[in-house]
């Protein structure tokens, strides 16, 4: 159950690497001072963590996910190394993090499936105060506008034929799924299939 004042937003999405690059470019266009933490494997402190200028650099460094510090331009947390090109304000503390979790093509007993990634953010309004809450709300809106501009609405049918909406898919990912018929999943056992005619923006 969400805490009183908790603000969350999450969107499941299917992206190939070229789609991720486009999403990152659009977010950077909306928030030029935004910077991304890489996500290193293993326990905290096992590997050096970096603050990167682009989501592409963060994913190349860390792998399956990257984290956008909000407000944009916030300084890196203690122990994080800031890389070249990052514009950060030492006095600005991050109070929220947007997660970009990569989609993954995985194999199970039934063959290859395309597992959804997501874009998600959360903060607690009483903890940040009204002014910062307004700033985070505005910057989050820009991030999701950038996501929508770089992807397409995704409509799927489940095994019963029921249609589900509200997710996003990149152009390259949609081409792959349409060409191969690869089923999709949102992380559970249920298999989804891309509807023949996804809705327009």
């Amino acid at each position: 159950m969400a805490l009183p004042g908790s603000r969350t937003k999450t969107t499941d999405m299917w992206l190939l690497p070229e789609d991720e690059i486009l999403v990152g470019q659009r977010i950077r266009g909306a928030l030029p001072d935004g910077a991304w933490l890489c996500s290193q494997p293993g326990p905290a402190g096992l590997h050096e963590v970096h603050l990167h200028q682009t989501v592409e650099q963060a994913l190349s460094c860390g792998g399956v996910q990257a984290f956008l510090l909000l407000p944009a331009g916030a300084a890196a947390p203690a122990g994080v190394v800031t890389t070249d090109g990052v514009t950060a304000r030492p006095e600005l503390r991050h109070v929220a993090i947007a997660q970009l979790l990569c989609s993954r093509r995985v194999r199970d007993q039934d063959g290859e499936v395309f597992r959804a990634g997501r874009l998600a953010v959360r903060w607690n309004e009483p903890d940040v105060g009204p002014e910062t809450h307004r700033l985070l709300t505005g910057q989050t809106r820009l991030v999701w506008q950038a996501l929508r501009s770089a992807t397409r609405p995704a409509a799927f049918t489940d095994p019963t034929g029921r249609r589900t909406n509200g997710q996003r898919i990149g152009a390259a990912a949609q081409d792959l799924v349409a060409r191969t018929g690869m089923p999709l999943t949102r992380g559970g056992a249920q298999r989804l299939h891309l509807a023949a005619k996804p809705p327009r923006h």
Side-chain angles (χ1 to χ4, degrees):
M1 183 174 178
L3 295 172
S6 177
R7 297 294 180 260
T8 63
K9 188 174 181 66
T10 183
T11 299
D12 288 336
M13 57 191 186
W14 289 266
L15 307 176
L16 290 181
E18 51 264 54
D19 300 317
E20 293 165 356
I21 291 171
L22 180 58
V23 169
Q25 289 173 340
R26 297 290 172 83
I27 292 175
R28 182 154 188 82
L31 296 175
D33 292 338
W36 297 82
L37 291 174
C38 58
S39 178
Q40 297 294 333
L46 182 64
H47 300 290
E48 191 173 76
V49 177
H50 313 98
L51 186 63
H52 298 271
Q53 186 179 31
T54 70
V55 68
E56 182 182 5
Q57 292 167 345
L59 291 175
S60 295
C61 183
V64 299
Q65 61 184 342
F67 300 96
L68 176 68
L69 298 185
L70 294 175
V80 171
V81 175
T82 299
T83 62
D84 292 342
V86 172
T87 302
R89 294 162 51 189
E91 78 284 359
L92 184 61
R93 182 176 64 90
H94 84 276
V95 292
I97 297 177
Q99 177 202 36
L100 191 153
L101 176 67
C102 295
S103 315
R104 299 181 66 191
R105 296 170 62 176
V106 298
R107 285 196 170 275
D108 62 14
Q109 65 275 11
D110 297 319
E112 190 175 31
V113 297
F114 199 2
R115 183 182 298 165
R118 67 175 172 265
L119 185 64
V121 68
R122 180 177 64 187
W123 70 88
N124 196 41
E125 184 177 349
D127 290 343
V128 303
E131 184 176 346
T132 300
H133 169 68
R134 286 191 294 271
L135 177 61
L136 293 174
T137 300
Q139 293 193 352
T140 296
R141 186 180 301 115
L142 291 175
V143 169
W144 259 261
Q145 287 174 350
L147 172 67
R148 289 192 296 272
S149 76
T151 59
R152 304 170 182 180
F156 300 96
T157 55
D158 65 19
T160 69
R162 186 177 65 179
R163 189 179 177 111
T164 63
N165 300 301
Q167 300 83 40
R168 306 294 298 187
I169 191 167
Q174 182 170 322
D175 289 345
L176 170 71
V177 173
R179 186 176 69 252
T180 64
M182 185 186 303
L184 300 102
T185 175
R186 297 174 71 180
Q190 188 181 58
R191 297 294 182 260
L192 304 172
H193 294 275
L194 193 64
K197 293 183 179 180
R200 295 182 179 275
H201 288 276

